[in-house]
Amino acid sequence: MASINLLIAVCLTYVAFLFLVAFAAERAAARGRGNWLRSPLVYTLSLSIYCTAWTFYGAVGYAARSGMEFITIYLGPSLVMIGWWWFLRKLVRVGRTQRVTSVADLISSRYGKSNVLAIVVTIMAVIGVTPYIALQLQSVTLSLSIFSDPTGTTDGGMNLVSAGFWVALGLALFTVLFGTRNLNANERHNGVVIAIAVEAVVKLVALLAVGIFVVWGVAGGISEMMVRIDNSDIGQWQVDGSRWTALTVLSGAAFLCLPRMFQVLVVENDDERHLHIASWAFPIYLMMMSLFVVPIAVVGLDLLPENSNPDLFVLTVPLSQGQGGLAILSFLGGFSSATSMVIVATLALSTMVSNHVVMPIWLSFQGQGATVSGDVRNVVIFARRVSILVIIALGYLYYRVSGGSGALAAIGLISFIGVAQFLPAMIGGIFWRGATRVGALTGLLVGFAIWTYTSLLPSFGADVVLSFPLLEQGPFGVEWLRPQALFGIKGIDPTVHAVLWSLLLNTSGFIFGSLVSFPKPLERLQGAQFVNVFANSGHAHGWSGSAAQSEDLMVMAQRILGGAEAQKLFRREAQIQGHDRYLPEPTPDFLQRVEREMSASVGAATAHAMISQLVGGASVSVQDLMAVADESAQMLEYSNQLEAKSSELLDTARQLRDVNAKLTQISVQKDAFLSQISHELRTPMTSIRSFSEILRDGHELKASVQTKYASIIHVEAIRLTRLLDDLLDLSVLENGQVSLNTETGSLADVIGHAVTTTQAGAIKQIKIDVSDLDTSIELHTDLDRLAQVFINLISNAQKYCKSPEPKLFIKATKTDNEVCIFLTDNGLPIPMETHALIFEKFSRINDQDGSGAGLGLAICREIMIRLGGEIDYVPAARGNRFVLRLPV
Amino acid sequence: MKKRVLLVEDEPNIIEAITFLLSREGWHVDTQTDGATAVKRVRELQPDLLMLDHMLPGKSGLDILIELRSDDQFLALPILMLTARGQMRDRAEAEAAGVSRFMTKPFSNTEVLAAVRDLTRN
């Protein structure tokens, strides 16, 4: 008979062996020699964590109590695996392309990265799985107790409870060590997977050994065994169709939805082709696990006393036959089942808790300043470790509080129904594009509520949580609300009842919620990616095997970061990579950098999703991504547009005002101009008409008076002619219609001609001093036009210079590129305020003389412009100075 | 006693022509070329007729008209306004300000004399 101490020594040795295996696997993987770690065989064996202590011990107990029904627990997963190409393949593909880390992550990212959904699923999973973990701890301590009390009628002493504590602690330590060694993007754990594969072998070998012993060692052969079975109660059990269907569906659903199953099926999956092999290998494994369940149960019922716990027949049958070694092997099988389940389940749950509960809270406390860097990784790892400890502590607590009561299978089924509530949201998520966040949330909450009410709470037994009258008569005496007979449907099995109502109402809520709500852009996009995961991706690639197009990356980065910013980032990277091309290679480092830059704008999740879509064999086209980028940019753009519009309006209004003011000004100028011309023309005409009438009417005028009046007519006629000439001249000059007659000549000659013209017949003489004039200056320009300028300027000086000794100095300088001519008089400087006006038409500064129309300087300016030069007025120290510049 | 006319005009030749014409009609003609002091001159001379050019140095004919008409003393003073600008608006403004007669240059001598006679007929 094996002693407890020996057993504990064996346990510790076994655990140490597992540590060693896991450690070796991690080392091998780290050195890149871990290909064998990812073989289809390992994948198939890792799926065996479906077979927990519940299956190892409980299946026999189940068979002893309910006959062949235990088969359903194997039937569901087998059907799922056989029909892998329908659902599982798609789930795995989605999980890989979307880099899903857990069930919560899957559901959350399908429905638009909803954090609320992630939290709901996480909480549901923790609540659903905690009893399951407690179950494993219970089975380990219970099996230990067998060795101190082989009849299996008591629960063991206090030292076993403390053993439970040590088991929990050891499991926590193992999970922390191998589950959170590093934070891989792909969330894969080589050490853990290889350890559970080893445990899968151990539990299968143990169960087969016990089975073989029972059939050939106890019963004496297959035919004798068959006789025993036919004679036992198990052979007589009736098959309850509804229960069978319900349990098969349930176990299939749980196989997909259990966090630990999702972890090994999807997250730890390295190659989709492994699924193909596992689809037949895993059902074979399950078949082998169930092969000897009935014989062991039948023999146990035959051999052992009536009050023996059938859940422990796997141990107690060998013990009762004096097979201590076999019992220890069997114990290790059960121990393996329990530990592998606890390790992977806590691993999966801790990922969910840290990713969806702890990290969002931590980040929100960090505020805007948080960036993705090393310290965040440390926080994540720390959060995972704490989560693992807390979850295992919760399981231990549940185990201590529940006092280890209830059949193993019953607790397991309750967990199954709980996690099966994820199924509608999962199936709908990858098959129905119309599924929305609201629908998923509605379905999950409804299903969870029904499960709690009809399955979880009643499982504690009457009067623990739900009072006995409530169970019997419904809350407030409302019969149709009775937890185990909802809506008046009585007389069906409580498990079937809970499965039926929770999944039915869950699915209805999911469909109804999806139909009445409208998905957000991200939901639509994610929906398309999930549902059409096969449409666009040829074969799922890893991060490293990417074929990201730098151009696509650039286009996307530009949409998010803005053109200049994105180009800067890419150019800098291209320089770092050492080639002068514009686009850098999409190395993993660079992808991370782009993602980081983008996450500052669109949030980390979206940025990661976008980059990984682009890089990791995108299941959506770049156009789809652009649509999302555009959609998210729309709000921003819209507000920018509004801002731009209002400033545009202001701008337009201002321009209109300006134009209006200009038009008004032009209109005023035109009126003023017409008035001026009219005045200038009509004034001399008035004199001419008046005096010609006087002369015509013959007023007996003296000859001298007649002559005087005739000469007035003459002068005014000349004035009129000159005015018309000037106006025509100006008009031609202003319209640019003037044709220049360019010739070469001496400046001195031009000025001499002008002086002669002005001096001839002038009433007032002005002394013109040209002594400083450089006579060597030659000009190549329209000399007649230039002479006209000088004539105007000299005659102005003649008319307006009020000095007692009027003088005009003319001199010129020549530089490399221009000739400067200065005309300076000694008259009174014109008033400062009229400086700006003197070159304007009709701007007569001194109106006293009245003879000029005020067009002379305007003509001068126009001529100088036509000649390519300019004219300026400068007030001189004593007098006025005009400066002419001409290009050489 | 001769009737007095004040001619406010800045063109020497037009002053000469009008002075000639009105003198022959028996008017005593005073002339004034500066617009700024024209109103003061009217007050001093108390003419029987005012002939006013529109465009004057110092102060426009319109402003002189407005200032005179705002004084009750000159409400009945016949004011003949002459303009060379030919703008419809000038006539409208002058009539609104109470001008007695508005004529556009160049005028015929007969026209001017008829207007003067018309304005000063008691």
Side-chain angles (χ1 to χ4, degrees):
Chain A
M1 175 102 16
S3 74
I4 288 285
N5 289 339
L6 174 64
L7 206 60
I8 288 172
V10 168
C11 266
L12 288 177
T13 313
Y14 179 64
V15 169
F17 168 68
L18 287 182
F19 267 71
L20 211 66
V21 168
F23 183 69
E26 294 267 318
R27 281 278 294 260
R31 288 177 182 175
R33 291 187 318 216
N35 284 345
W36 60 276
L37 296 171
R38 292 300 183 184
S39 68
L41 180 68
V42 172
Y43 179 68
T44 307
L45 288 175
S46 72
L47 297 185
S48 77
I49 55 153
Y50 177 73
C51 305
T52 64
W54 171 30
T55 336
F56 191 84
Y57 296 121
V60 174
Y62 203 147
R65 290 189 193 96
S66 315
M68 296 302 285
E69 199 176 274
F70 77 95
I71 291 286
T72 55
I73 302 304
Y74 300 105
L75 202 53
S78 296
L79 289 175
V80 169
M81 287 310 291
I82 290 165
W84 66 284
W85 44 265
W86 178 71
F87 183 78
L88 210 48
R89 187 171 65 117
K90 195 164 187 183
L91 187 68
V92 169
R93 176 70 67 88
V94 165
R96 293 168 55 82
T97 54
Q98 296 288 316
R99 292 178 191 287
V100 164
T101 58
S102 63
V103 184
D105 194 26
L106 176 92
I107 292 177
S108 136
S109 51
R110 161 59 181 86
Y111 300 104
K113 318 252 174 203
S114 161
N115 223 0
V116 175
L117 266 179
I119 290 170
V120 166
V121 172
T122 302
I123 291 170
M124 284 170 69
V126 170
I127 293 175
V129 174
T130 300
Y132 212 156
I133 292 171
L135 183 64
Q136 309 305 315
L137 297 176
Q138 183 196 337
S139 76
V140 172
T141 48
L142 200 61
S143 59
L144 273 172
S145 76
I146 293 303
F147 290 87
S148 59
D149 179 13
T151 54
T153 49
T154 61
D155 285 344
M158 277 307 292
N159 61 328
L160 292 177
V161 173
S162 70
F165 173 78
W166 290 111
V167 167
L169 198 65
L171 290 174
L173 191 69
F174 183 91
T175 315
V176 166
L177 269 180
F178 291 99
T180 62
R181 276 174 72 87
N182 47 23
L183 197 62
N184 288 334
N186 53 21
E187 293 289 348
R188 287 179 194 153
H189 310 86
N190 288 308
V192 172
V193 169
I194 206 72
I196 60 175
V198 169
E199 292 190 302
V201 175
V202 170
K203 61 192 177 194
L204 183 61
V205 167
L207 204 57
L208 287 176
V210 174
I212 288 165
F213 167 73
V214 162
V215 173
W216 282 276
V218 178
I222 294 174
S223 51
E224 285 85 348
M225 189 67 238
M226 294 311 284
V227 174
R228 276 198 186 218
I229 292 171
D230 285 343
N231 292 337
S232 73
D233 289 344
I234 295 173
Q236 317 301 320
W237 250 292
Q238 302 256 320
V239 170
D240 178 345
S242 68
R243 234 181 109 79
W244 271 66
T245 311
L247 289 176
T248 306
V249 168
L250 187 61
S251 60
F255 181 69
L256 291 166
C257 298
L258 279 167
R260 68 171 193 278
M261 290 317 298
F262 191 86
Q263 179 79 28
V264 290
L265 265 176
V266 179
V267 181
E268 305 282 354
N269 177 285
D270 195 52
D271 191 330
E272 264 177 49
R273 285 166 300 184
H274 294 174
L275 204 57
H276 188 58
I277 292 162
S279 71
W280 53 263
F282 186 64
I284 288 175
Y285 181 93
L286 288 180
M287 198 197 73
M288 284 159 79
M289 283 294 283
S290 59
L291 203 57
F292 295 106
V293 167
V294 172
I296 295 168
V298 169
V299 169
L301 284 173
D302 280 356
L303 290 180
L304 296 171
E306 286 226 350
N307 62 347
S308 298
N309 186 348
D311 283 333
L312 295 170
F313 282 174
V314 180
L315 288 174
T316 48
V317 168
L319 277 177
S320 71
Q321 300 300 307
Q323 297 289 332
L326 186 61
I328 288 178
L329 179 64
S330 172
F331 170 79
L332 279 184
F335 183 74
S336 297
S337 309
T339 51
S340 57
M341 181 273 166
V342 173
I343 289 166
V344 181
T346 45
L347 196 60
L349 286 179
S350 73
T351 305
M352 285 157 75
V353 169
S354 71
N355 279 11
H356 303 303
V357 181
V358 179
M359 288 316 289
I361 293 171
W362 184 80
L363 283 174
S364 75
F365 275 115
Q366 292 294 301
Q368 296 297 312
T371 52
V372 181
S373 61
D375 61 329
V376 174
R377 292 168 67 88
N378 289 337
V379 169
V380 171
I381 289 179
F382 181 72
R384 291 221 175 140
R385 290 179 177 166
V386 171
S387 306
I388 287 168
L389 293 175
V390 168
I391 288 161
I392 291 185
L394 272 178
Y396 180 70
L397 206 68
Y398 185 93
Y399 155 67
R400 289 300 302 272
V401 169
S402 70
S405 67
L408 297 181
I411 301 180
L413 278 181
I414 290 164
S415 262
F416 271 27
I417 302 172
V419 295
Q421 304 307 321
F422 301 149
L423 194 66
M426 273 169 73
I427 294 184
I430 66 175
F431 284 106
W432 183 32
R433 280 192 69 166
T436 71
R437 189 179 65 91
V438 173
L441 200 58
T442 310
L444 282 171
L445 290 177
V446 166
F448 192 66
I450 306 261
W451 169 69
T452 308
Y453 187 61
T454 61
S455 185
L456 182 66
L457 297 184
S459 77
F460 293 104
D463 271 347
V464 175
V465 181
L466 300 179
S467 65
F468 190 74
L470 192 146
L471 275 172
E472 283 300 299
Q473 286 140 31
F476 319 111
V478 182
E479 281 222 352
W480 58 271
L481 281 179
R482 274 182 296 166
Q484 293 181 327
L486 275 183
F487 309 114
I489 294 180
K490 288 180 274 192
I492 59 168
D493 179 83
T495 305
V496 177
H497 176 268
V499 172
L500 178 74
W501 283 122
S502 62
L503 283 181
L504 187 69
L505 294 180
N506 179 338
T507 308
S508 309
F510 170 63
I511 292 172
F512 179 75
S514 296
L515 291 177
V516 298
S517 63
F518 193 74
K520 288 186 285 190
L522 192 58
E523 275 181 75
R524 283 211 302 276
L525 176 72
Q526 290 291 92
Q529 287 182 36
F530 276 56
V531 176
N532 305 329
V533 68
F534 291 120
N536 297 315
S537 62
H539 188 77
H541 291 285
W543 184 273
S544 51
S546 68
Q549 297 296 310
S550 291
E551 287 88 345
D552 292 343
L553 206 59
M554 177 76 177
V555 170
M556 189 162 72
Q558 278 181 333
R559 299 219 177 173
I560 306 287
L561 304 172
E565 195 71 16
Q567 282 169 17
K568 213 168 76 188
L569 180 72
F570 277 63
R571 205 174 306 126
R572 201 173 50 223
E573 179 64 21
Q575 280 166 5
I576 290 169
Q577 290 184 6
H579 47 71
D580 44 35
R581 268 184 301 150
Y582 191 65
L583 287 169
E585 297 296 330
T587 61
D589 270 0
F590 179 55
L591 290 173
Q592 265 179 14
R593 200 164 308 131
V594 173
E595 185 185 327
R596 207 156 49 231
E597 295 284 335
M598 278 167 56
S599 67
S601 310
V602 295
T606 313
H608 181 75
M610 292 177 127
I611 296 278
S612 59
Q613 285 320 303
L614 204 60
V615 172
S619 61
V620 281
S621 65
V622 175
Q623 280 80 1
D624 285 342
L625 277 175
M626 296 317 168
V628 168
D630 283 347
E631 263 175 331
S632 63
Q634 261 173 17
M635 287 302 288
L636 222 130
E637 205 173 297
Y638 182 63
S639 67
N640 284 348
Q641 271 178 2
L642 274 183
E643 218 170 284
K645 276 235 169 72
S646 68
S647 80
E648 218 169 82
L649 270 177
L650 275 178
D651 211 39
T652 311
R654 192 180 49 74
Q655 282 176 356
L656 276 175
R657 259 201 316 277
D658 287 354
V659 167
N660 192 40
K662 204 163 213 162
L663 278 174
T664 312
Q665 198 190 347
I666 286 171
S667 169
V668 168
Q669 280 175 353
K670 184 203 71 182
D671 280 358
F673 181 67
L674 285 177
S675 295
Q676 282 285 357
I677 288 182
S678 171
H679 184 264
E680 297 304 325
L681 290 172
R682 284 171 192 270
T683 300
M685 278 164 66
T686 307
S687 302
I688 292 167
R689 181 168 180 185
S690 195
F691 283 113
S692 58
E693 282 181 9
I694 292 169
L695 290 176
R696 182 196 64 191
D697 293 346
H699 290 287
E700 296 158 12
L701 299 172
K702 283 189 271 182
S704 63
V705 175
Q706 278 185 16
T707 312
K708 185 186 172 193
Y709 288 174
S711 69
I712 289 176
I713 292 170
H714 177 71
V715 167
E716 293 287 20
I718 288 171
R719 177 181 164 190
L720 204 53
T721 313
R722 200 176 63 227
L723 178 71
L724 288 171
D725 284 346
D726 282 356
L727 275 174
L728 284 173
D729 216 13
L730 195 60
S731 161
V732 165
L733 284 167
E734 279 185 343
N735 291 331
Q737 294 161 337
V738 63
S739 52
L740 294 177
N741 176 25
T742 308
E743 48 195 332
T744 306
S746 139
L747 174 65
D749 286 351
V750 176
I751 292 176
H753 168 69
V755 169
T756 316
T757 311
T758 47
Q759 299 287 36
I763 308 140
K764 276 160 61 181
Q765 288 289 341
I766 187 167
K767 188 162 180 264
I768 296 172
D769 184 344
V770 290
S771 54
D772 282 350
L773 193 65
D774 182 351
T775 50
S776 70
I777 296 174
E778 291 274 312
L779 291 172
H780 184 73
T781 185
D782 188 326
L783 298 177
D784 288 343
R785 284 293 184 183
L786 186 61
Q788 195 185 347
V789 173
F790 286 121
I791 290 166
N792 279 344
L793 289 175
I794 293 168
S795 59
N796 272 358
Q798 251 174 7
K799 272 187 264 178
Y800 305 122
C801 185
K802 296 291 187 249
S803 167
E805 279 181 52
K807 270 187 190 162
L808 182 66
F809 302 92
I810 302 178
K811 63 174 194 172
T813 58
K814 185 181 180 185
T815 62
D816 284 346
N817 45 23
E818 68 175 10
V819 176
C820 260
I821 305 139
F822 304 90
L823 297 96
T824 315
D825 70 15
N826 59 351
L828 285 173
I830 59 169
M832 185 79 95
E833 59 271 20
T834 51
H835 285 181
L837 294 173
I838 57 170
F839 293 107
E840 297 302 319
K841 294 185 281 282
F842 304 112
S843 61
R844 279 179 297 183
I845 304 308
N846 191 333
D847 212 31
Q848 295 299 323
D849 242 342
S851 55
L855 293 174
L857 286 178
I859 290 170
C860 288
R861 184 183 61 177
E862 288 300 327
I863 291 173
M864 289 310 288
I865 290 170
R866 296 294 152 216
L867 298 183
E870 54 187 50
I871 179 168
D872 284 313
Y873 169 77
V874 203
R878 292 172 56 195
N880 300 291
R881 172 177 294 169
F882 285 90
V883 182
L884 310 181
R885 292 169 208 281
L886 273 174
V888 176
Chain B
M1 180 144 173
K2 268 186 175 178
K3 284 189 180 174
R4 299 174 77 101
V5 60
L6 176 62
L7 173 63
V8 188
E9 170 64 73
D10 62 334
E11 276 289 322
N13 291 337
I14 296 177
I15 292 171
E16 175 129 26
I18 292 176
T19 306
F20 175 83
L21 288 170
L22 290 187
S23 303
R24 282 176 54 99
E25 290 284 312
W27 285 85
H28 175 82
V29 182
D30 291 306
T31 58
Q32 163 83 17
T33 53
D34 180 32
T37 52
V39 175
K40 190 173 156 241
R41 193 85 196 281
V42 174
R43 292 184 195 284
E44 284 167 11
L45 296 173
Q46 296 287 334
D48 301 297
L49 173 69
L50 178 66
M51 291 183 81
L52 192 57
D53 187 21
H54 197 283
M55 227 159 114
L56 289 165
K59 193 174 196 171
S60 83
L62 187 67
D63 287 343
I64 294 166
L65 172 69
I66 290 167
E67 197 175 331
L68 287 173
R69 286 299 190 220
S70 68
D71 189 339
D72 285 351
Q73 195 189 344
F74 302 114
L75 270 180
L77 173 68
I79 299 176
L80 173 58
M81 214 164 165
L82 302 165
T83 179
R85 301 205 327 160
Q87 295 274 317
M88 294 298 288
R89 209 183 58 215
D90 291 343
R91 176 185 282 268
E93 280 172 355
E95 283 176 351
V99 75
S100 309
R101 189 67 61 94
F102 191 92
M103 294 181 76
T104 305
K105 297 176 188 174
F107 44 80
S108 82
N109 294 347
T110 351
E111 252 180 342
V112 172
L113 290 174
V116 167
R117 280 191 213 106
D118 196 32
L119 285 175
T120 52
R121 189 184 306 131
N122 291 328

